[in-house]
Amino acid sequence: MSQRTERRGIHVDQSELLCNKGCGYYGNAAWQGLCSKCWREEYQRARQKQIQEDWALAEKLQREEEAAYASIQGAQSQPQAQPQASLGTFSKFEEKKTNEKTRKVTTVKKFFSPSSRTASKKVLVARLRDNQEGKTPSPSISRQSSIETDRASRDFVDFLKTMQKPGREVHKHSRTFIESMANKKDLGADELSEYVQDFYQNMSERLMTHFKVSSENVERVMDEVEKYIMTRLYKSVFCPETSDDEKKDLATQKRIRALHWVDIQMLCVPVDEEIPEVSENVVKAITDVIEMDSKRVPRDKLACITRCSKHIFSAIKITKSEPASADDFLPTLIYIVLKANPPRLQSNIQYITRFCNPSRLMTGEDGYYFTNLCCAVAFIEKLDAQSLNLDPEDFERYMSGQASPRRPETDSSWPQVDPGPVVSSPALAKVYQNLELLSGLGGRQDRVLAAAQSLQSDLMTWQESVGQEVQEIMEKYPLEIRPPAPSAIDSDVENDLLPPPLTPQVFAG
């Protein structure tokens, strides 16, 4: 226990939250500490390098085939067949690599080229004709829209009506992009993210260059575009089958459940939940981070994280009676995540990382709070005895459930309570207090019942004794009723005391 006084808390330098490339934007653990811009550059550079390596391998295979063909050319009767087949095979490989190299750029840029306007209409008409002929329609077309999807579509159209021509262009390109994404469900999560991010970038550039829209209005338009597109694509891109997001979710939930014993003191959280207002802010923060899973739009999920963080800052400020610092915020956020155990936490973080407007993640309070949440999750995954300043053996026993810092005596039976446990919240303290009261009330109830039974026995004994005494008196002194003796009317009256008018008078005969 003496180690607790030496605990230094959790400290993260603010520079560690920034991009490793030094661009000044917020980084992300999912992007190896890079911001979205630098990560995309690294991803595209690595992909281009892979394409070049594939080309080099193809050229090497071609040279080997040509050398093998040259060695046996004189021995074959038809020397032209083999090289043609070899060159044909390589031509197919070359064509495949060229398509792979230009696929992403062609797919996105074709939405913004003037020549594609009539082509998009032709493609859509052809798809509708195929559907009428009995062919299987696209899942995104045949699926019945939910109420939230319909509402997002109406809000998107109403917003674009105020923009006139740019609004029509944005709506048409957004619908075309959604139709194209219906055929890309088999792609990996990173490739889906690349398509969406490229669409965001091309759309914003077109608004600024072609329609001369201000940067402030472009941000507003892109927020609505993100809301419309991601609401429509949510079911197909959130936790896709091609990713391991679900596996990570289960691992994180299991990890947090195993850390249920971690309390405020171990994390050095500067929050006093005994204060009602602080406790209310903590409950609101837990509710907000859990509510994140119910949202479809990345921006709305970020808003839940922002509200959660603001409640945390309020709780710290009320407790310390001074503004909270960054060193106070991160440990409290870790504590909130441990207590909330949000559903599908990894999937939600990955979804925001892949499909949110990149400008929101690189700057502003949304990006700052989201970066801290990623740091909190990374800390939880790597939490060990040294992080909590505990003995390694005690840490392992706590993790396995063999012991708990709140219940040092394992042979005690409920409802007996250890008089000196270390509680982590006012709710648990209230539970312990109520258990103690119940134990005292149980003893008092037993005493009251014993006294009531004793009183009942005394009353029955007293009743019997009183009845017996009455019977004895009645037998000893029986009741006798004598008739009254006859007497004259004035016999008992002293005549001398009567007034003169009433004095009896004697008359002589």
Side-chain angles (χ1 to χ4, degrees):
M1 295 297 179
S2 61
Q3 294 178 349
R4 293 188 180 181
T5 59
E6 302 172 0
R7 187 171 295 121
R8 60 185 180 279
I10 302 169
H11 173 75
V12 174
D13 194 345
Q14 293 303 296
S15 61
E16 298 178 10
L17 302 179
L18 301 178
C19 177
N20 293 337
K21 290 287 186 178
C23 62
Y25 296 125
Y26 290 119
N28 193 322
W31 293 329
Q32 300 177 2
L34 303 178
C35 66
S36 61
K37 180 181 178 181
C38 296
W39 169 252
R40 290 190 64 204
E41 293 176 354
E42 289 292 329
Y43 179 81
Q44 293 174 357
R45 188 179 298 110
R47 189 166 183 174
Q48 185 67 25
K49 181 180 178 181
Q50 183 65 37
I51 293 175
Q52 293 176 356
E53 292 177 354
D54 293 342
W55 272 95
L57 179 61
E59 293 176 354
K60 180 180 178 182
L61 294 176
Q62 182 186 18
R63 289 193 298 269
E64 292 177 354
E65 289 181 357
E66 291 177 351
Y69 169 74
S71 63
I72 60 175
Q73 183 178 9
Q76 293 183 349
S77 59
Q78 296 179 353
Q80 299 297 328
Q82 182 72 15
Q84 289 178 356
S86 175
L87 292 175
T89 302
F90 177 72
S91 298
K92 292 181 180 180
F93 183 81
E94 181 180 0
E95 181 181 357
K96 181 179 179 181
K97 289 300 177 182
T98 303
N99 293 337
E100 177 69 18
K101 182 178 181 181
T102 60
R103 177 163 56 103
K104 179 179 62 177
V105 177
T106 304
T107 302
V108 177
K109 287 189 175 181
K110 70 180 182 180
F111 301 138
F112 304 95
S113 61
S115 61
S116 66
R117 298 176 181 177
T118 56
S120 300
K121 294 181 179 179
K122 292 180 180 179
V123 171
L124 183 58
V125 170
R127 288 182 179 177
L128 294 175
R129 187 183 299 113
D130 292 341
N131 294 340
Q132 293 176 357
E133 292 176 358
K135 294 185 179 180
T136 303
S138 172
S140 64
I141 299 176
S142 61
R143 184 179 58 208
Q144 184 178 4
S145 299
S146 63
I147 297 177
E148 187 174 355
T149 302
D150 294 339
R151 183 170 60 251
S153 300
R154 290 194 301 269
D155 295 343
F156 187 58
V157 172
D158 294 340
F159 173 78
L160 295 179
K161 284 181 181 178
T162 60
M163 300 180 60
Q164 297 181 355
K165 185 177 179 180
R168 292 193 296 270
E169 289 288 324
V170 170
H171 185 261
K172 183 179 69 174
H173 294 321
S174 299
R175 287 181 59 86
T176 306
F177 177 75
I178 292 174
E179 293 293 333
S180 68
M181 290 293 290
N183 301 321
K184 297 179 174 62
K185 293 184 177 181
D186 295 333
L187 297 180
D190 291 336
E191 292 179 321
L192 293 173
S193 175
E194 282 296 305
Y195 279 112
V196 173
Q197 295 296 334
D198 285 341
F199 179 78
Y200 288 161
Q201 182 176 356
N202 284 277
M203 177 67 76
S204 59
E205 290 178 355
R206 181 173 177 80
L207 288 173
M208 286 188 292
T209 57
H210 187 74
F211 295 103
K212 307 300 181 183
V213 181
S214 63
S215 58
E216 199 174 305
N217 290 331
V218 168
E219 287 296 325
R220 292 177 57 245
V221 174
M222 293 310 301
D223 287 341
E224 295 297 326
V225 169
E226 176 191 314
K227 178 181 178 181
Y228 173 68
I229 290 178
M230 299 317 302
T231 303
R232 299 287 300 272
L233 299 177
Y234 179 78
K235 291 185 178 180
S236 59
V237 299
F238 181 84
C239 191
E241 297 180 356
T242 56
S243 68
D244 59 348
D245 294 347
E246 185 176 359
K247 182 179 179 181
K248 292 180 179 178
D249 287 334
L250 297 175
T252 301
Q253 286 190 345
K254 182 178 179 181
R255 175 71 173 176
I256 293 177
R257 283 196 298 267
L259 292 168
H260 66 91
W261 48 270
V262 178
D263 55 26
I264 289 181
Q265 287 77 17
M266 293 179 181
L267 295 173
C268 295
V269 176
V271 169
D272 184 7
E273 291 186 272
E274 295 290 343
I275 303 175
E277 194 172 354
V278 173
S279 179
E280 182 180 356
N281 277 282
V282 170
V283 172
K284 289 181 179 179
I286 293 175
T287 303
D288 288 331
V289 75
I290 292 176
E291 187 182 1
M292 174 178 60
D293 185 60
S294 64
K295 306 298 182 180
R296 287 193 171 194
V297 184
R299 182 184 61 179
D300 294 341
K301 292 181 181 292
L302 276 178
C304 292
I305 299 174
T306 301
R307 290 197 302 270
C308 169
S309 302
K310 290 184 177 180
H311 287 310
I312 291 175
F313 274 106
S314 297
I316 298 174
K317 182 178 180 181
I318 295 171
T319 302
K320 300 181 65 176
S321 300
E322 61 182 16
S325 64
D327 292 337
D328 297 331
F329 171 67
L330 184 58
T332 312
L333 179 60
I334 294 172
Y335 173 73
I336 294 297
V337 173
L338 288 175
K339 295 305 172 186
N341 197 0
R344 301 191 292 185
L345 179 58
Q346 292 286 357
S347 292
N348 282 287
I349 290 177
Q350 293 297 330
Y351 179 73
I352 295 172
T353 301
R354 293 166 183 158
F355 303 109
C356 185
N357 191 339
S359 61
R360 285 187 172 272
L361 299 183
M362 293 190 300
T363 57
E365 63 178 4
D366 290 342
Y368 173 76
Y369 295 141
F370 179 71
T371 303
N372 276 274
L373 177 62
C374 295
C375 292
V377 175
F379 178 84
I380 292 173
E381 292 175 347
K382 299 178 181 179
L383 190 65
D384 55 10
Q386 184 178 2
S387 302
L388 300 176
N389 201 14
L390 294 175
D391 184 76
E393 295 181 359
D394 292 339
F395 180 82
E396 293 299 328
R397 289 192 297 116
Y398 297 158
M399 291 294 293
S400 62
Q402 298 177 0
S404 173
R406 304 188 190 100
R407 291 180 286 105
E409 296 180 3
T410 57
D411 57 347
S412 59
S413 59
W414 189 89
Q416 295 179 356
V417 183
D418 187 3
V422 179
V423 295
S424 60
S425 67
L428 288 177
K430 192 68 176 178
V431 169
Y432 290 131
Q433 183 180 359
N434 291 338
L435 288 176
E436 293 177 356
L437 291 176
L438 286 175
S439 299
L441 290 175
R444 292 177 60 185
Q445 183 181 12
D446 293 339
R447 292 192 296 270
V448 170
L449 290 176
Q453 292 176 357
S454 177
L455 178 61
Q456 183 179 8
S457 177
D458 293 342
L459 287 174
M460 294 177 64
T461 303
W462 177 80
Q463 183 179 3
E464 293 176 357
S465 62
V466 169
Q468 185 176 1
E469 290 179 1
V470 170
Q471 186 66 27
E472 292 177 355
I473 292 174
M474 291 179 64
E475 292 176 355
K476 185 176 181 180
Y477 304 101
L479 179 63
E480 296 180 2
I481 301 177
R482 298 177 181 180
S487 60
I489 296 176
D490 296 334
S491 61
D492 295 332
V493 178
E494 297 180 0
N495 296 332
D496 297 339
L497 300 178
L498 293 176
L502 298 179
T503 304
Q505 297 181 3
V506 179
F507 294 96

